[in-house]
Amino acid sequence: MAYRLTEEGEEYLRKGLPEENLVKILAKGPVKLRELKEELYKFDIALAWAKKKGWVTIHDGMVKLISSPKTSEEYDALGHLDKGESIVKDVLDILVKRGLVEEIREDIYTKAEKFSGKEIGLLESELIKTGKWREVKFRHYNVSSPGQRIQIGKKHILTVFAEKARKIFLDLGFTEASGPLVESTFWCFDSLFQPQDHPARDLADTFYMKNPREVTLPNGKIVDSVKRTHEHGSDTGSIGWRYSFSEAVSKQPILRTHTTAVSARSLAQIKPPAKIFCLGRIFRNETIDYKHLAEFTQVEGIVVDENVNFRDHLGYLKEFYNRMGFEKIRFRPAYFPYTEMSVEPELYFEERGEWMEMGGSGIFRPEVVKPLLGIDCPVLAWGLGLERLIMLKYGIADIRNFYVKNDLRLLRDSTIIG
Ligand code: PHE
């Protein structure tokens, strides 16, 4: 059954429950009955319920507080109902009894209206026995009146899309990888040939952890190869960054800023050919507003294969977006410290009449591939945003809807079912 606030219920939601308002006044000390009568909104109701609930006593014309409510159960329930959320049965019964909430009944007239000349909606035995049915006008069924709303269990929209993306990559023959959320700057930046003084490492962009103090680096040759590549290019054909690489910096723990860290970890473990994807939460030190959150989801992928080139790269991205349901895709040249060439895929959103950037991608530079994989080999790589895609497709204006607000209406009203 569906319920809604009555006019009085709405008024209480704005002004507070009378008895709770009374308690607030009495918190400072007993007050004369007469004064209350003048001051207090819905004085009679306030007093009656406060007494019934055992919160106040009246002696010699003075009203005194003897206990006060710990929570505001009934008031909170009004708020929940107003937002279309359900509430516990006991509280609902009280609110209905108090006339603050009513059942939504669109198609049945009340008994009082039955013989008053209005249309009637219920043929009762009395009408037949008395022959009154001849006089009254019956109401037609209103087939457009809203039915009872059924709340089915649904997956969160983000989950639906993550599963969709996962299925696409599995279908394309990719293997899923994952990595830690608390990552070292080594895997997040160093292994991607981002110099240790790169501005993106700044506190302004990256969350550094106090705990753990440091992260263990991988054993073996990897750290050393990355270090040599940074310092002088090693055998990658590059001259490197020409500075002194610090392992202490590499060990700094951070919340991973991109899932490209997982791609780097994968590169250090596999032999080509390989196709790997990762779906994961990432973190950036952003000021939170309707467009930005400090955490969001990336769809990452790499294709490591002697026989692939830039055309394959564009083809994979196009195929992914087509299978996600987006037809129009184009590519804009871009820059990332770890790729050459680099492109940003853009999708065309008919509803907005606009091209929107969806993430970053490119072919990993030899300075990334050689130290991790041991050999040079084409590696197609991308990191795409998930939330943005859903927001644009479904016209969800505020990214905070996904995480922070926990507003159930987003799910209840959603027609996106996985
Ligand atoms: N890591 C980049 C980002 O977070 C995306 C990217 C991934 C770019 C792989 C190039 C290659 O924006």
Side-chain angles (χ1 to χ4, degrees), residues 233-284:
S234 189
D235 55 357
T236 62
S238 158
I239 59 165
W241 295 113
R242 315 243 129 193
Y243 68 168
S244 174
F245 182 90
S246 152
E247 280 191 31
V249 169
S250 294
K251 288 180 184 164
Q252 287 172 331
I254 56 173
L255 291 179
R256 71 179 178 202
T257 55
H258 52 190
T259 37
T260 318
V262 180
S263 293
R265 283 174 174 270
S266 303
L267 269 185
Q269 283 172 7
I270 48 125
K271 295 212 178 334
K275 295 192 280 191
I276 296 161
F277 77 101
C278 167
L279 279 165
R281 194 64 66 84
I282 62 161
F283 306 86
R284 287 183 198 170

Side-chain angles (χ1 to χ4, degrees), residues 258 260 284 298 300 336 338-339 360-362 364 381-383:
H258 52 190
T260 318
R284 287 183 198 170
Q298 256 181 348
E300 190 85 20
F336 297 98
Y338 30 95
T339 49
S361 80
F364 275 155
W382 53 83

Side-chain angles (χ1 to χ4, degrees), residues 271-272 306 366 369-377:
K271 295 212 178 334
E306 205 46 65
V369 179
K370 235 175 161 181
L372 301 179
L373 193 64
I375 51 167
D376 199 5
C377 175

Side-chain angles (χ1 to χ4, degrees), residues 148-381:
Q148 186 181 323
R149 194 164 174 178
I150 298 168
Q151 310 287 8
I152 56 163
K154 285 184 197 164
K155 283 181 189 162
H156 194 278
I157 299 172
L158 263 180
T159 310
V160 173
F161 273 79
E163 285 175 356
K164 213 165 161 178
R166 173 176 289 116
K167 170 137 190 352
I168 292 170
F169 283 116
L170 291 174
D171 285 352
L172 291 172
F174 282 67
T175 312
E176 184 164 6
S178 64
L181 301 184
V182 176
E183 186 53 283
S184 60
T185 54
F186 178 78
W187 285 119
C188 230
F189 303 130
D190 297 339
S191 67
L192 294 167
F193 198 55
Q194 223 156 325
Q196 293 192 320
D197 57 1
H198 192 283
R201 300 189 178 209
D202 213 303
L203 264 174
D205 295 283
T206 306
F207 288 115
Y208 283 84
M209 312 285 292
K210 285 207 183 109
N211 231 325
R213 290 273 293 284
E214 57 175 45
V215 183
T216 2
L217 297 182
N219 291 327
K221 298 190 308 252
I222 297 284
V223 179
D224 201 44
S225 312
V226 169
K227 174 177 156 103
R228 278 187 286 119
T229 309
H230 275 240
E231 288 182 343
H232 49 73
S234 189
D235 55 357
T236 62
S238 158
I239 59 165
W241 295 113
R242 315 243 129 193
Y243 68 168
S244 174
F245 182 90
S246 152
E247 280 191 31
V249 169
S250 294
K251 288 180 184 164
Q252 287 172 331
I254 56 173
L255 291 179
R256 71 179 178 202
T257 55
H258 52 190
T259 37
T260 318
V262 180
S263 293
R265 283 174 174 270
S266 303
L267 269 185
Q269 283 172 7
I270 48 125
K271 295 212 178 334
K275 295 192 280 191
I276 296 161
F277 77 101
C278 167
L279 279 165
R281 194 64 66 84
I282 62 161
F283 306 86
R284 287 183 198 170
N285 198 352
E286 305 259 17
T287 309
I288 294 175
D289 62 23
Y290 77 101
K291 253 171 134 177
H292 299 97
L293 273 186
E295 56 185 294
F296 46 99
T297 313
Q298 256 181 348
V299 183
E300 190 85 20
I302 48 171
V303 177
V304 192
D305 191 331
E306 205 46 65
N307 300 312
V308 292
N309 59 31
F310 193 61
R311 290 186 67 86
D312 296 298
H313 181 77
L314 304 186
Y316 273 110
L317 290 173
K318 190 164 182 301
E319 188 62 25
F320 169 68
Y321 282 116
N322 287 351
R323 292 190 187 201
M324 284 297 274
F326 297 90
E327 287 303 317
K328 285 195 193 163
I329 173 169
R330 74 177 186 188
F331 300 97
R332 231 196 25 219
Y335 173 80
F336 297 98
Y338 30 95
T339 49
E340 175 65 31
M341 319 190 3
S342 310
V343 282
E344 285 169 350
E346 292 188 335
L347 294 180
Y348 189 73
F349 288 85
E350 300 289 349
E351 316 78 51
R352 304 172 62 99
E354 252 182 305
W355 289 94
M356 307 290 294
E357 182 227 310
M358 286 293 122
S361 80
I363 301 191
F364 275 155
R365 303 173 69 100
E367 292 95 324
V368 175
V369 179
K370 235 175 161 181
L372 301 179
L373 193 64
I375 51 167
D376 199 5
C377 175
V379 178
L380 320 177

